[in-house]
Amino acid sequence: MNPFSLALRLLRRDWRAGELRLLATALVIAVASVTSVGFFTDRVERAMERQATEVLAADLRLESNQPITESLIEAADQRLLRRAQTLSFPSVMLNNGATQLVQVKAVSDTYPLRGRMRVRDSVSGEDHATESLPQPGEAWLEERLLPLLDLHIGDTIKLGQSPFRIARIISYEPDRSANLFQLAPRVMIRLDEVDKTGLLGPASRVRHYLLLAGSPSQMSDYRQWIETQSRPGIQVEDIRAARPELRIALERGGRFLRLAASTAILLCVVAVALSSRRFVERQSDTSALLRCLGASSRDVGRIFLLRLLSLGVIASLAGSLLGLAAQAVLVELIGHWFTSRIPAPSAWPLLSGLATGILVLIGFSLPSVLRLSEVPPLRVFRRHLGTPPVSYRLFLATALISLGALLMWQIGDDRLAFQLIGGLLAGMAILLLVSRLLVHLLTPLRNRTAGSWRYGLASLSRNPTTTSIQMTGFGLGITVLLVLAMVRVDLLSNWRNALPKESPNQFLINIQPGEVESVRNLLAEGGIETGGPYPMIRGRLISIDDRRISENDYRSPRAQRLATRDFNLSLATEIQSDNKILAGRWWSESEWHEPWFSVEQGLAETLGIPLGSQLAFEVAGQRISGRVENFRSVQWDSFNVNFFVIGTPGLMADLPATYITSFYLPPEKRELLHRLIQAHPSVTALDVTALMQQVRAIMDRGTLAVESVFLFTVAAGLIVLYAGIQASHELRVQETAILRTLGLSRRRLVVSVLLEFTLLGGLAGLISAALASAISYSLATSVFELPWSIDPAMWGIALFGGAAGVGLAGTLASWRLFNTPPMTVLKKA
Amino acid sequence: MLQTSSNQHPVTASGLMKFVETSEGRLEILQRIDLQVASGEAVAILGASGSGKSTLLGLLAGLDEASKGEVRLFDTPLSGLDEDGRAALRAGKVGFVFQSFQLLSGMTALENVMLPLELTGHDSPDQAAAETLSQAGLAQRLHHYPSQLSGGEQQRVALARAFAPGPKVLFADEPTANLDPHTGERVAELLFRLQRHNGTVLILVTHDEMLARRCDRRLYLREGRLEAEA
Ligand SMILES: Nc1ncnc2c1ncn2[C@@H]1O[C@H](COP(=O)(O)OP(=O)(O)OP(=O)(O)O)[C@@H](O)[C@H]1O
Ligand SMILES: [Mg+2]
């Protein structure tokens, strides 16, 4: 015997006879959702990342106070990278006797490599994106410079020795947001006109930038190369070091997409497990017969194994192709949201689809299908001798291993994966237990009711194993859908709330202590609310627990940068309302004199600062040191003023500070800002409207992507529901036939089946609501760090949705039975 | 009948006993069975419902294990073999027809008949199967599923499946019990025609005297023992 060809023949026959359709459909949907999400998130993440690279106007940026070394440029050219050069330096501009410090930026023709500038042609005009750059003899500048120097568009200004005509107002400059707190207003000219100004003397404080962009592989190649080079005084920056607002927005979005994908996997494995069980039940006869005819249990095992594997490969391929098609539609749907083209799909989601299909089968189908080889041949005489069930331990072990591997691989976040698996296990255990209990409680009821109720209840209690497995399947399906619905709403609304419509779009920096009162009054008169101004103290971290820190102590570029740069420190008596204490506690009034620090959690992790350790900072030549009293979380994407490190008044009150604040300025009140700047010329006003729009765009796109991915999970949920319904199909075929021959009317039969499923669905919904609350609580608090509240509507939806959904679907799925003459059914038996 | 070589006695049982433990104590289904079936012989085993006919058949075919005593199939003692060893012994040489357990519902008539041929690695299972099916008068129904066939037709497919590999021994459990007399008669006709034609040993369990009378020998199962006459 050639088991392989026999297996293939049997597979073909089963397929034609519809035996494998459910299992295959579950598998195809599993693979399709995994691959489409895989393809889609892969592409969208790359597109989002590319979009985020706008923050640097490049994929990678080199910065130095010397002209960028020729060898670094050559290496970029060798790798066919696109490049642009910019330089920037402070200068003083004069007009009508007023002077103003400005930051001149000179750009080469190819600037910017990523993103586009937005400009206005007049003060009152609309801003628009532009591909062009200042023409020879032109300067573009930031709006706030106009009132400071009493200038107008079309005026001529002098930079050093050469005159420039003010042509446009810059409203958005991609890489400006990377160093938001640059103080002086911007003036932009062409790189080839810098020499004319004669401002680039040896004493000038010029920063030179080399901007690079290319394909991911080109970039990583260059990045690896540059790591090996000695490059004194050159800083390498990539997107990860950019503004935390964008980084966090991206990370949250990516996490949610992967969560949605994993949820689809969870649902599909349930469907696969359910349909495998049914497959095994239906194949027991084949196995018994094969053994009667002389096949050894190894032969039978091999036949089923090969059959399953070939099914797995075929279904996975089909699923992968379906996924590929689906993601193309998705990308088509949202593609136009992206400013840059969405990168082409890579091949790995296809491979991962295949691997997913096989893994799911191995974990959730193989153990029970292999038991088919143990069907006693005596079944040919004694029908009740079926396939021995898989031992719970074996099933759990394979299921856990395959699911664990799948989730860790798909989510790339072990903690989240463990939480999901833990949730699934606990959920399964609870559902099995509770459903057993419910069946037990329902059994006595059946004798106290009559008619359809009686039959409906009877079907539930007659086969407790099938009933509780069904209820577990329905329950898991409903739970996952509920969790996703809740977390999705929570996440998306919180994501948006993190950036409400009126979140701060203006920053005032460099407010001197003597100006605080007057600035506050001016803003108050204009009806503008602000939590600040907050004191800001520049300081450098010197040591942690008396251990001096240096760049070399750290691996990650972010940590290295943090270790060498000045921090913005602040002092406070109260914790800011959008901050949250994660460890330790905030100081009370009697403790204000203590030498204590409060440190942002992420910073503490990056730099390895333990709670209770002693930190020393150098501030304006002075050394202050204090104990880390608590860790805080900060909502960086809120655009509120926030600080990594905050000290007690006792520790920091005497240090030289300037003040900073942020607020929302409605467009119609722009004039107030002009007055403020004129009254306080040394105060720097920063407009972050454009950056905020960028963050908003990322959130919107992320939301849309998440919503689309959610559809797959819904499809997976439906197939679980269907598999659950089919689980009792065989039994019901027999029962309805017998009941009908015994004279039960069709109407009563329909009602009893409707009751059976409605009860099942309603009960499953109720258990699910409890489970979903628990899971979403743990997800919201520990993974997404979002607030959580109990949702009574969800319980209602779960109960009635479960009852109605399962009730209707179950009845409809059985509809054919009600119309089949009982004779046909009985003859088959 | 002193000789017991496999050529002459493909199926023998001696001192065969079967009991099962139930909640009401030990239930002795078969007390002490001695049986020798010669090559080409057709033996009918009769008995009331619940007398243990199916149990005996299962033991003789090696589908179940005896509590005591010995079954030899093709001169091989079954007690020395495990489940797989017994299966290997059956492969291609033993056929079955059952009362209620018939065809695999997911396969057509032809595919059902092909199954044992495919299992033994027959060169052209479809041809051989089609041939046997037309001998059974079902040449027009090759591609029909069991649900599209009448009870008698299903039973004929089952017979074709049993005979297709050319078995040496055929075990049949009430092959006509579910059929009306006329159809039963046609099925019986076919069964014995194929049996004679192939020289197959037939061990036929039935409670139908008419059917039993067509066999070479009739044995009665009563209170766990086999008796030669009613
Ligand atoms: N595993 C078992 N446990 C308990 N009793 C059993 C078991 N197997 C068989 N029996 C009993 O043994 C007796 C013989 O069963 P068997 O199926 O062999 O009868 P039969 O002669 O084939 O009956 P029928 O003509 O109705 O098919 C029956 O009373 C049956 O209930
Ligand atoms: Mg019987």
Side-chain angles (χ1 to χ4, degrees):
Chain A
M1 178 192 58
N2 177 351
F4 190 67
S5 75
L6 184 54
L8 273 184
R9 279 166 191 241
L10 290 177
L11 184 68
R12 216 171 46 227
R13 285 171 204 171
D14 289 344
W15 177 255
R16 228 183 30 228
E19 289 289 310
L20 287 170
R21 259 169 230 171
L22 186 60
L23 184 57
T25 312
L27 210 56
V28 166
I29 291 192
V31 174
S33 49
V34 167
T35 46
S36 60
V37 168
F39 276 126
F40 181 67
T41 51
D42 176 44
R43 293 178 72 183
V44 167
E45 267 175 17
R46 282 190 295 153
M48 276 163 120
E49 203 153 294
R50 186 176 284 185
Q51 193 130 336
T53 57
E54 287 184 12
V55 175
L56 292 177
D59 294 336
L60 193 73
R61 185 170 79 168
L62 307 187
E63 179 184 347
S64 170
N65 52 12
Q66 299 296 320
I68 304 286
T69 337
E70 211 39 54
S71 66
L72 296 177
I73 297 176
E74 272 165 26
D77 287 345
Q78 273 165 20
R79 287 168 179 77
L80 303 176
L81 302 183
R82 292 191 295 125
R83 65 176 162 86
Q85 269 172 287
T86 66
L87 53 82
S88 119
F89 57 91
S91 178
V92 174
M93 251 167 64
L94 293 158
N95 193 39
N96 298 340
T99 61
Q100 173 61 42
L101 184 72
V102 297
Q103 191 72 20
V104 180
K105 175 168 174 173
V107 299
S108 68
D109 284 342
T110 43
Y111 171 89
L113 298 179
R114 298 278 186 221
R116 273 191 273 170
M117 294 230 291
R118 297 184 73 84
V119 293
R120 275 184 286 166
D121 299 322
S122 65
V123 178
S124 55
E126 281 284 304
D127 75 334
H128 56 90
T130 180
E131 301 280 348
S132 64
L133 290 173
Q135 298 303 301
E138 272 183 19
W140 295 2
L141 38 82
E142 236 176 301
E143 185 185 4
R144 60 189 166 115
L145 195 52
L146 297 179
L148 284 173
L149 288 177
D150 194 20
L151 288 167
H152 303 277
I153 288 193
D155 289 356
T156 298
I157 48 156
K158 265 187 111 174
L159 269 181
Q161 291 142 22
S162 68
F164 290 90
R165 195 181 64 82
I166 302 171
R168 279 172 158 176
I169 293 172
I170 302 173
S171 59
Y172 173 65
E173 181 189 333
D175 48 342
R176 180 58 186 267
S177 38
N179 33 10
L180 198 57
F181 294 97
Q182 197 175 25
L183 302 179
R186 163 77 74 231
V187 174
M188 184 181 281
I189 58 170
R190 298 173 66 86
L191 187 63
D192 48 22
E193 294 192 316
V194 177
D195 284 338
K196 287 202 306 202
T197 65
L199 288 172
L200 289 191
S204 65
R205 289 185 290 139
V206 189
R207 309 287 306 170
H208 297 261
Y209 298 93
L210 175 64
L211 311 184
L212 298 171
S215 71
S217 64
Q218 284 172 325
M219 290 318 299
S220 75
D221 184 32
Y222 188 80
R223 230 173 253 135
Q224 273 168 16
W225 174 80
I226 203 166
E227 304 259 287
T228 65
Q229 302 299 303
S230 86
R231 42 186 160 88
I234 294 184
Q235 279 168 1
V236 180
E237 290 177 285
D238 64 17
I239 167 67
R240 313 219 167 268
R243 300 281 308 155
E245 288 88 350
L246 290 172
R247 192 166 46 83
I248 303 234
L250 273 180
E251 274 173 13
R252 277 205 192 164
R255 230 189 236 175
F256 192 82
L257 282 176
R258 281 188 295 273
L259 179 71
S262 309
T263 314
I265 300 183
L266 283 188
L267 284 173
C268 286
V269 298
V270 175
V272 165
L274 281 175
S275 47
S276 296
R277 184 174 176 270
R278 176 157 182 255
F279 177 72
V280 167
E281 259 171 26
R282 293 177 61 105
Q283 290 293 321
S284 300
D285 284 352
T286 313
S287 172
L289 190 71
L290 285 172
R291 303 215 48 199
C292 256
L293 295 174
S296 69
S297 63
R298 260 193 47 212
D299 291 337
V300 174
R302 215 182 297 159
I303 286 170
F304 280 105
L305 174 73
L306 287 168
R307 225 159 135 189
L308 201 64
L309 286 184
S310 10
L311 174 75
V313 171
I314 295 169
S316 302
L317 284 178
S320 298
L321 292 178
L322 190 67
L324 189 64
Q327 62 86 32
V329 176
L330 279 179
V331 167
E332 192 59 37
L333 270 177
I334 70 149
H336 65 274
W337 285 94
F338 289 87
T339 49
S340 42
R341 258 170 45 87
I342 295 204
S346 59
W348 80 258
L350 239 146
L351 289 178
S352 87
L354 199 66
T356 302
I358 304 285
L359 251 149
V360 166
L361 273 186
I362 290 178
F364 291 85
S365 192
L366 197 62
S368 48
V369 168
L370 281 185
R371 294 297 274 176
L372 276 169
S373 67
E374 308 289 320
V375 176
L378 206 57
R379 177 180 165 87
V380 297
F381 293 116
R382 310 204 162 280
R383 301 304 310 276
H384 69 273
L385 293 173
T387 311
V390 193
S391 85
Y392 274 111
R393 241 183 274 165
L394 179 72
F395 184 78
L396 264 184
T398 60
L400 275 187
I401 291 172
S402 85
L403 197 62
L406 261 175
L407 289 189
M408 270 186 240
W409 170 41
Q410 287 292 330
I411 308 186
D413 176 345
D414 296 358
R415 192 165 130 206
L416 187 54
F418 279 128
Q419 244 165 346
L420 278 174
I421 294 174
L424 181 74
L425 275 185
M428 231 153 74
I430 293 171
L431 277 162
L432 273 171
L433 272 174
V434 176
S435 55
R436 280 276 168 161
L437 191 73
L438 283 175
V439 170
H440 198 74
L441 292 176
L442 284 177
T443 312
L445 268 183
R446 137 191 185 196
N447 296 325
R448 298 211 205 116
T449 49
S452 303
W453 273 99
R454 192 186 173 116
Y455 292 115
L457 287 173
S459 332
L460 288 183
S461 51
R462 196 170 321 110
N463 201 326
T465 312
T466 304
T467 304
S468 57
I469 285 177
Q470 266 183 316
M471 208 183 276
T472 306
F474 292 144
L476 285 176
I478 299 174
T479 305
V480 171
L481 290 179
L482 285 176
V483 169
L484 203 63
M486 276 191 292
V487 177
R488 167 183 146 270
V489 171
D490 279 357
L491 178 103
L492 297 185
S493 64
N494 271 277
W495 209 9
R496 288 219 178 93
N497 289 347
L499 202 53
K501 227 178 155 35
E502 311 222 322
S503 44
N505 58 2
Q506 305 291 331
F507 281 78
L508 292 181
I509 309 175
N510 208 24
I511 307 169
Q512 298 306 312
E515 297 175 305
V516 171
E517 263 323 298
S518 141
V519 167
R520 195 178 277 146
N521 290 340
L522 263 170
L523 289 178
E525 277 165 32
I528 282 169
E529 285 172 34
T530 160
Y534 305 95
M536 183 167 101
I537 298 154
R538 306 280 290 169
R540 176 173 299 221
L541 180 63
I542 319 174
S543 65
I544 303 171
D545 277 338
D546 294 328
R547 192 173 37 79
R548 280 198 79 85
I549 65 159
S550 84
E551 192 176 357
N552 303 332
D553 299 342
Y554 298 102
R555 277 283 178 90
S556 81
R558 184 172 132 82
Q560 288 176 354
R561 279 158 37 86
L562 285 168
T564 53
R565 287 205 169 163
D566 275 3
F567 279 51
N568 295 328
L569 311 175
S570 188
L571 67 114
T573 53
E574 305 293 331
I575 184 167
Q576 252 169 271
S577 61
D578 61 342
N579 286 200
K580 211 168 70 191
I581 296 292
L582 298 179
R585 50 176 200 90
W586 190 259
W587 37 83
S588 64
E589 191 168 347
S590 60
E591 292 162 333
W592 287 354
H593 65 278
E594 301 281 354
W596 285 346
F597 284 121
S598 166
V599 178
E600 190 258 342
Q601 169 94 357
L603 178 85
E605 271 167 27
T606 313
L607 290 181
I609 299 173
L611 195 64
S613 59
Q614 202 73 20
L615 297 186
F617 286 91
E618 195 183 277
V619 179
Q622 241 176 300
R623 190 188 153 100
I624 57 162
S625 96
R627 195 173 73 205
V628 177
E629 196 59 20
N630 61 57
F631 288 154
R632 265 175 309 129
S633 69
V634 170
Q635 225 181 324
W636 288 112
D637 40 8
S638 70
F639 280 81
N640 288 321
V641 174
N642 265 301
F643 300 92
F644 280 129
V645 178
I646 295 175
T648 51
L651 189 57
M652 308 186 74
D654 298 334
L655 298 171
T658 61
Y659 286 75
I660 172 173
T661 191
S662 66
F663 55 91
Y664 174 71
L665 181 74
E668 69 275 9
K669 289 189 183 165
R670 286 197 82 80
E671 173 270 339
L672 175 72
L673 195 63
H674 287 206
R675 263 198 291 144
L676 203 144
I677 294 171
Q678 263 160 352
H680 299 281
S682 65
V683 171
T684 305
L686 274 180
D687 188 345
V688 293
T689 316
L691 173 66
M692 253 174 59
Q693 264 162 8
Q694 199 182 350
V695 171
R696 272 224 178 85
I698 289 185
M699 288 182 179
D700 285 346
R701 269 153 232 159
T703 310
L704 203 67
V706 163
E707 297 280 4
S708 341
V709 168
F710 184 63
L711 287 180
F712 285 95
T713 318
V714 172
L718 292 180
I719 191 77
V720 171
L721 214 69
Y722 184 72
I725 288 165
Q726 290 297 313
S728 59
H729 190 78
E730 259 61 64
L731 278 173
R732 203 167 23 258
V733 171
Q734 294 294 328
E735 284 174 13
T736 45
I738 291 166
L739 286 174
R740 286 195 63 195
T741 40
L742 292 179
L744 194 72
S745 77
R746 226 192 83 173
R747 204 182 59 83
R748 279 187 47 201
L749 201 63
V750 174
V751 174
S752 83
V753 170
L754 184 68
L755 274 172
E756 177 189 342
F757 279 114
T758 306
L759 262 173
L760 255 178
L763 292 174
L766 217 53
I767 311 172
S768 304
L771 268 177
S773 302
I775 297 171
S776 75
Y777 172 76
S778 93
L779 276 179
T781 53
S782 66
V783 180
F784 293 117
E785 286 156 19
L786 301 170
W788 180 86
S789 58
I790 193 152
D791 182 0
M794 186 265 294
W795 288 74
I797 291 173
L799 175 64
F800 293 108
V806 172
L808 278 176
T811 311
L812 285 179
S814 314
W815 203 254
R816 228 181 36 197
L817 295 183
F818 307 139
N819 292 321
T820 314
M823 186 50 208
T824 324
V825 175
L826 292 176
K827 204 173 83 184
K828 259 196 246 179
Chain B
M1 282 197 285
L2 290 170
Q3 275 189 309
T4 58
S5 85
S6 83
N7 284 341
Q8 281 153 28
H9 295 107
V11 183
T12 70
S14 53
L16 191 62
M17 296 171 80
K18 177 72 182 179
F19 26 84
V20 289
E21 301 296 339
T22 68
S23 48
E24 274 104 60
R26 174 186 284 191
L27 175 70
E28 303 199 341
I29 305 171
L30 301 175
Q31 302 276 10
R32 195 184 167 78
I33 305 286
D34 293 293
L35 174 67
Q36 293 187 330
V37 184
S39 288
E41 192 182 14
V43 179
I45 297 175
L46 293 114
S49 179
S51 58
K53 303 181 297 287
S54 296
T55 307
L56 175 58
L57 207 60
L59 288 174
L60 294 177
L63 301 178
D64 197 7
E65 281 177 43
S67 308
K68 259 195 182 148
E70 181 70 279
V71 174
R72 287 169 163 282
L73 195 56
F74 310 120
D75 219 23
T76 309
L78 293 185
S79 59
L81 300 174
D82 60 3
E83 186 84 62
D84 282 344
R86 299 197 297 266
L89 194 62
R90 283 194 297 269
K93 292 191 282 192
V94 173
F96 291 91
V97 188
F98 315 106
Q99 169 180 1
S100 63
F101 184 92
Q102 291 303 342
L103 306 172
L104 296 178
S105 57
M107 297 187 190
T108 62
L110 182 70
E111 287 162 353
N112 263 289
V113 179
M114 279 162 68
L115 196 63
L117 296 168
E118 289 169 328
L119 208 57
T120 51
H122 196 281
D123 290 338
S124 48
D126 30 3
Q127 228 174 325
E131 217 160 277
T132 320
L133 273 170
S134 42
Q135 279 178 35
L138 291 166
Q140 309 306 316
R141 316 298 298 266
L142 299 187
H143 301 294
H144 288 195
Y145 284 94
S147 58
Q148 298 165 312
L149 300 171
S150 75
E153 285 161 345
Q154 288 183 31
Q155 199 65 315
R156 268 145 62 198
V157 175
L159 282 176
R161 182 176 69 193
F163 279 105
K168 295 207 165 65
V169 178
L170 183 79
F171 294 99
D173 191 3
E174 312 261 21
T176 60
N178 279 343
L179 306 172
D180 64 83
H182 175 69
T183 316
E185 180 56 32
R186 285 189 56 195
V187 168
E189 195 75 47
L190 176 66
L191 170 64
F192 285 101
R193 179 152 54 81
L194 289 170
Q195 186 253 336
R196 300 264 142 70
H197 182 259
N198 294 313
T200 312
V201 169
L202 173 66
I203 299 182
L204 170 71
V205 160
T206 182
H207 49 239
D208 178 354
E209 275 288 343
M210 292 287 284
L211 188 64
R213 230 169 266 154
R214 290 168 168 253
C215 293
D216 305 322
R217 202 150 47 111
R218 280 167 299 287
L219 299 170
Y220 293 83
L221 193 55
R222 228 172 263 132
E223 279 153 21
R225 289 169 195 275
L226 273 183
E227 296 165 8
E229 277 311 321

